[in-house]
Amino acid sequence: MGGQHPNAPQAYSEFSRVLDPSIYEALPDDWLVGITDVVGSTSAIKSGRYEDVNYAGASVIAAVGNAWGDFDFPFVFRGDGAAFALPPQGIMTATSALRQVVAFAKTNLNLALRAGLLSVGEIRASGRDVRVARYAASEDATYAMFAGGGLKWAERQIKNGRYLVKPGSYTTEPDLTGLSCDWEPFPSQRGEILSLLVEPSEGGSPEAFAALAKCVLSVLDAGTRQAHPLSRDTAITKDRARSVNLETWLAVASNSDFRKYDDGLRLTLDCTREQIEAVEAILVAAKARGEVNFGLHRQSHALMTCFVPSGKPDSHLHFLDGMGGGYAKAAEMMEANELPMVSVR
């Protein structure tokens, strides 16, 4: 689920393994990369539209998979958007799904979704790469992890108006079967929900970044449940009438994407304030040394958008973000951080 590559590489169940650059495999040059993001997501979030932003962000994953006929392709949810890769014969599927979700976001959610599509070869010509590994969050749910800096570069190009998918003259509704937001937001049990993005600096050593990422994770993993933001005590369905069976809930929690690697660490965690301060100190020092860029955002609740593929209900996937701006706010901080820093706190 969610991470298949033409040669179906091994899926790793230990998250620290996906920090190892050597396990990633390059996608072929003729594969396609599609990227979406909500334009002006921070202002939509400010007006309390977190769920709509996340739903628009996850919509392309559902639309592409439902049209393609399976979900064995690499993709990643990024809060206010998503990225995916398909083989070259998927060009019509990808183009159509991207057009559909743009029209859907505008008509149904009143959100502007930007969508772009380009080949891995075009990304590689810029000196970046698109490499994929698979992380098995559980026996049933596998997520793709991306490395090589290619997605980050492609996203920047698309934001600057290159590789955009032009609107179709006639666009049908996307098939979003299985995509839902059935849960109330999850309050932090430990202090705050942390949305954290950490990326290696241009030209930095992947090995040095992996060591730093492990150091960050060791601080955040200290304590119970490895800072998992989903607690059964806070699992409340929106209709409140449905009681949550423990076995079902444990499957939901274990199939969630609270930790991932997407050209850097992308985490949604329930942390103590002390843990957040300790991690921030490590990252400020690493940034001052020119090793990383990072952005973080703290909030009181986490949000979950769920996807249950109709053919494989056991392979349900649960996309997590912070409710108070989450990855969008962390990315905003990281972009501001990428400017030269005058002083370090």
Side-chain angles (χ1 to χ4, degrees):
M1 272 300 298
Q4 201 86 332
H5 175 266
N7 306 320
Q10 179 184 350
Y12 295 92
S13 57
E14 204 177 311
F15 185 74
S16 61
R17 286 303 308 277
V18 305
L19 301 175
D20 176 357
S22 71
I23 71 162
Y24 285 78
E25 295 189 16
L27 286 180
D29 270 0
D30 59 358
W31 271 51
L32 302 162
V33 169
I35 294 178
T36 64
D37 75 291
V38 173
V39 181
S41 55
T42 42
S43 64
I45 287 161
K46 260 184 205 147
S47 58
R49 302 188 62 208
Y50 323 102
E51 289 189 359
D52 286 349
V53 167
N54 277 186
Y55 194 83
S59 64
V60 76
I61 297 169
V64 169
N66 284 330
W68 187 239
D70 68 48
F71 286 82
D72 288 336
F73 60 92
F75 58 76
V76 62
F77 169 71
R78 296 161 147 194
D80 63 347
F84 66 89
L86 278 183
Q89 62 271 30
I91 189 160
M92 296 306 291
T93 300
T95 306
S96 174
L98 287 165
R99 282 177 179 157
Q100 287 171 344
V101 294
V102 168
F104 171 83
K106 185 178 178 183
T107 308
N108 297 59
L109 302 173
N110 194 27
L111 290 171
L113 193 65
R114 184 168 25 216
L117 187 67
L118 68 166
S119 72
V120 170
E122 286 169 301
I123 293 171
R124 227 162 247 149
S126 79
R128 277 76 170 182
D129 204 357
V130 184
R131 299 199 307 277
V132 176
R134 295 169 75 228
Y135 169 57
S138 73
E139 282 182 22
D140 297 312
T142 300
Y143 288 97
M145 307 281 127
F146 289 89
L151 292 193
K152 171 93 173 169
W153 179 85
E155 183 183 28
R156 232 181 238 145
Q157 302 308 305
I158 290 161
K159 282 185 173 174
N160 291 334
R162 294 184 73 198
Y163 307 114
L164 292 175
V165 171
K166 294 179 177 63
S169 50
Y170 173 70
T171 302
T172 54
E173 286 275 306
D175 181 358
L176 302 181
T177 305
L179 188 65
S180 66
C181 307
D182 294 337
W183 302 89
E184 289 288 338
F186 299 86
S188 165
Q189 300 288 286
R190 307 182 75 201
E192 289 179 304
I193 298 291
L194 173 68
S195 301
L196 179 63
L197 300 174
V198 190
E199 292 180 354
S201 297
E202 286 272 343
S205 143
E207 290 73 21
F209 182 80
L212 180 79
K214 283 177 184 167
C215 175
V216 165
L217 286 169
S218 70
V219 172
L220 297 172
D221 281 352
T224 54
R225 301 185 305 114
Q226 297 183 309
H228 202 306
L230 301 182
S231 153
R232 183 159 190 257
D233 303 334
T234 61
I236 301 166
T237 55
K238 282 188 178 163
D239 61 16
R240 294 181 180 260
R242 276 168 46 210
S243 61
V244 185
N245 156 311
L246 178 60
E247 194 179 341
T248 304
W249 176 248
L250 291 174
V252 166
S254 65
N255 285 20
S256 69
D257 72 341
F258 72 106
R259 298 187 296 185
K260 49 199 169 186
Y261 194 90
D262 168 24
D263 279 344
L265 277 183
R266 186 178 287 268
L267 308 173
T268 300
L269 301 173
D270 188 359
C271 305
T272 64
R273 289 178 180 88
E274 293 74 20
Q275 282 175 309
I276 297 172
E277 279 157 21
V279 161
E280 194 167 11
I282 291 167
L283 293 174
V284 165
K287 170 146 182 63
R289 295 192 300 269
E291 294 172 4
V292 300
N293 289 313
F294 75 96
L296 56 81
H297 187 66
R298 308 164 181 230
Q299 56 250 298
S300 59
H301 290 68
L303 274 185
M304 183 161 68
T305 307
C306 303
F307 184 69
V308 183
S310 47
K312 285 186 177 174
D314 287 348
S315 300
H316 48 98
L317 303 171
H318 303 278
F319 304 128
L320 284 162
D321 197 7
M323 189 178 93
Y327 289 135
K329 290 292 281 184
E332 205 177 61
M333 176 183 165
M334 184 156 69
E335 277 157 28
N337 258 346
E338 281 175 341
L339 302 168
M341 285 177 81
V342 180
S343 62
V344 176
R345 285 190 296 142

